[in-house]
Amino acid sequence: MGIMDWERIEPWEYIAVSVAAEYHKKYDMVELEDIKQSLYEWFLEHPNKLDEWESIGPKDAKNLIYRSLRNQALDYCQRWKAKSIGYEPSDLFYYEPVMVEALLPSVLRGEFTVMPILNLGKTGRPPAPSEGGNMMAMMVEINAAYIKLSKEDRAVLFFKYVESLDFAGIATEMELGSEDAARMRHNRAIKKLITRIGGFKPFLDKDITKHSTDEPDELIEPDNESNEDEGREDSD
C-alpha cells in the first residue's frame, strides 16, 4: 500500500478498526487483521465513491462508509467461514423476509409436521446446505430464533401470524399509538429474527463513475438497531 493510498484511508481508519472488531467478535475464527485488510481494500476499490461521499459532508460520509464496510466485513467473514467448514461460498444460504413470513404461521402454531405451501414467486432457489432443503429443519431454526427475541418482538409476530391481526389491531393490542408504529415494530422483529438465523445477504457495492449521483446502499441488518450518528449498535 503506497503513501497516497494510505492518505486516503487514514481519515476513516477508525471505522475500519471498529467494524473489523465488531465482525471478529461475531466470527472469531477469522483473524482480526485479515478482516481489517479486507476493509482497507474497499477504500482502494472505491476511490470515486469515497470522493463523492466525502463531498456531501463528514457525517453522511461516515454513515455511508460504515454501511459499506459492514457489508464488506460480513461477506469476507462468511466466505472465510464457508471455506473453513468445507462448502463452497456459492452455497451460502440466506433467509429472506418473504420466506420467513410464509413459514411463521406454522412455526408459531407448532405445526412442524404440516408443511406449508410456499409461493415465493421465485424459482431455482438453492437449498440451505445445513438443511439440505428440509422445510422442517428451516422451521425449527426459525422457532429457535423466535424464542430468543424480546417479549415485544415475539408479541408483534404472534399477533400478526397467529391471531391474524392487521397492523391497526396490533397497534391497539400493544398500545403502540399508530398503525405505522406497529408496522415498523413488525419489520424490525422480522429483521432481528433473520439476523439470528444467519443474517441478510451482504450487498457488495461497486465504485461509481466520476460526477455520478450515488444513493446509500442497502445495509445488512445487525443484531441491534444501528445508531447512525455514532456508527455503533445499541442493545434494546
Side-chain angles (χ1 to χ4, degrees):
M1 186 182 300
I3 294 177
M4 290 301 295
D5 293 336
W6 180 247
E7 288 177 352
R8 293 294 286 120
I9 297 172
E10 189 174 18
W12 306 109
E13 185 196 12
Y14 73 98
I15 298 180
V17 170
S18 173
V19 172
E22 175 186 339
Y23 280 86
H24 176 60
K25 184 176 180 180
K26 296 176 180 178
Y27 295 86
D28 57 4
M29 77 291 293
V30 186
E31 293 292 335
L32 177 63
E33 290 303 314
D34 290 342
I35 301 174
K36 194 184 301 181
Q37 183 61 40
S38 172
L39 302 184
Y40 289 156
E41 290 172 1
W42 180 92
F43 289 95
L44 304 182
E45 294 167 357
H46 299 80
N48 297 330
K49 179 165 285 189
L50 188 58
D51 287 341
E52 190 82 14
W53 287 353
E54 287 177 332
S55 71
I56 64 178
K59 181 178 178 179
D60 288 332
K62 178 180 72 173
N63 291 336
L64 292 167
I65 291 169
Y66 259 111
R67 299 176 82 170
S68 281
L69 292 190
R70 283 191 173 113
N71 278 297
Q72 178 89 354
L74 178 63
D75 180 70
Y76 180 82
C77 290
Q78 288 185 334
R79 288 179 176 277
W80 198 100
K81 181 180 179 181
K83 183 178 179 180
S84 67
I85 292 175
Y87 59 88
E88 293 297 322
S90 60
D91 290 333
L92 287 171
F93 178 82
Y94 302 94
Y95 285 91
E96 295 181 1
V98 65
M99 175 182 292
V100 172
E101 291 178 39
L103 291 172
L104 271 171
S106 295
V107 170
L108 300 188
R109 294 188 179 103
E111 299 171 348
F112 291 90
T113 59
V114 180
M115 293 297 100
I117 298 174
L118 303 185
N119 180 11
L120 306 180
K122 298 182 179 181
T123 59
R125 181 176 185 81
S130 60
E131 300 92 6
N134 188 319
M135 191 77 72
M136 184 179 295
M138 293 165 63
M139 294 168 70
V140 169
E141 275 197 333
I142 292 172
N143 183 66
Y146 170 80
I147 63 178
K148 294 179 182 178
L149 296 177
S150 68
K151 179 180 178 181
E152 291 76 15
D153 288 334
R154 293 197 307 271
V156 72
L157 296 180
F158 183 86
F159 285 132
K160 175 69 172 174
Y161 298 102
V162 177
E163 299 294 335
S164 299
L165 296 184
D166 58 18
F167 290 119
I170 293 172
T172 299
E173 290 289 338
M174 298 185 66
E175 300 181 349
L176 295 176
S178 71
E179 184 176 338
D180 285 343
R183 182 179 292 104
M184 291 175 62
R185 186 77 197 192
H186 164 270
N187 293 344
R188 180 182 170 199
I190 290 292
K191 290 175 181 177
K192 287 186 175 182
L193 184 61
I194 290 175
T195 296
R196 290 186 176 276
I197 51 179
F200 291 83
K201 185 175 182 178
F203 179 91
L204 297 181
D205 49 4
K206 298 180 180 179
D207 199 20
I208 59 177
T209 57
K210 283 288 188 179
H211 310 303
S212 67
T213 301
D214 192 42
E215 296 294 332
D217 297 314
E218 185 66 24
L219 173 66
I220 42 88
E221 293 292 335
D223 289 335
N224 306 307
E225 288 192 288
S226 175
N227 183 329
E228 292 284 339
D229 289 341
E230 298 298 329
R232 297 172 60 86
E233 296 175 1
D234 301 321
S235 301
D236 285 339

